[in-house]
Amino acid sequence: MARLLAPQLAANDLAGIVHSGVVRTRRLAEMVAEIAGLTARCDPRWLERDFGSWEGRRWNAIWRESGDLMNRMMTDPESFRPGGGETGRELADRVEAAWRDLPPGGDILVVAHGGPIAAIRTAMERQPIDRTVSYIPPHGAVIAMTRFRSFACPAAPCAQIRL
């Protein structure tokens, strides 16, 4: 999939490339960077949500052990820590900071994960954090987002989503 996607992404006039640091994001970012003649930069703030002791486990296994506790990721995203990991609010704050720190001007390719992408889309749409799950993209999706104004500071240039 990455070998097919990399040339398509590199064909855009990119000003920079950022990835989360995980092997699958780094490899795609580096493939695009090589084709585009750029350097891919790692920013771990684009990592997927920290699921603590639930990390790497199948949802069915977690469900069997904890019952409907996992539903709190959607019903209590401000304070629930799945497996003792990161709250939805912590994920959103981390990713929003990474978004604000992207260099201005030009298109920046960010190779990230569903949770961070959903968190940014939720913030850009000015939706409550409990709506984040509805913004999770399908696996392998390319989501284009344009920064015009910051969602955190209405007086600054803001973001708009192009899907």
Side-chain angles (χ1 to χ4, degrees):
M1 183 179 202
R3 280 191 283 274
L4 295 173
L5 189 56
Q8 295 172 33
L9 293 171
N12 293 285
D13 186 23
L14 298 173
I17 302 171
V18 177
H19 63 87
S20 71
V22 173
V23 172
R24 68 181 182 263
T25 63
R26 180 179 48 80
R27 283 187 181 156
L28 176 58
E30 288 174 350
M31 290 171 76
V32 174
E34 184 176 337
I35 296 167
L38 296 169
T39 301
R41 181 176 61 84
C42 175
D43 184 343
R45 293 177 297 178
W46 289 103
L47 283 167
E48 185 57 273
R49 181 178 186 168
D50 175 2
F51 288 98
S53 63
W54 291 5
E55 195 70 45
R57 300 186 60 217
R58 296 188 183 274
W59 289 117
N60 289 341
I62 297 167
W63 188 269
R64 280 192 303 273
E65 287 177 17
S66 65
D68 62 0
L69 184 63
M70 67 185 346
N71 289 342
R72 289 190 55 207
M73 286 190 292
M74 280 125 342
T75 62
D76 184 17
E78 294 286 342
S79 61
F80 180 65
R81 295 180 179 282
E86 187 174 33
T87 69
R89 170 53 51 208
E90 289 167 339
L91 167 66
D93 290 347
R94 168 171 55 86
V95 175
E96 288 172 25
W99 175 264
R100 283 190 302 273
D101 289 345
L102 289 173
D107 291 338
I108 308 296
L109 172 65
V110 178
V111 185
H113 311 269
I117 293 166
I120 287 297
R121 293 174 72 191
T122 303
M124 290 170 68
E125 290 290 318
R126 292 176 169 41
Q127 293 296 312
I129 195 169
D130 63 355
R131 296 288 318 251
T132 301
V133 70
S134 63
Y135 290 94
I136 297 172
H139 178 73
V142 174
I143 307 294
M145 295 182 275
T146 305
R147 296 172 290 157
F148 293 115
R149 283 176 279 146
S150 167
F151 43 77
C153 178
C158 188
Q160 179 184 64
I161 298 177
R162 282 187 335 230
L163 298 176

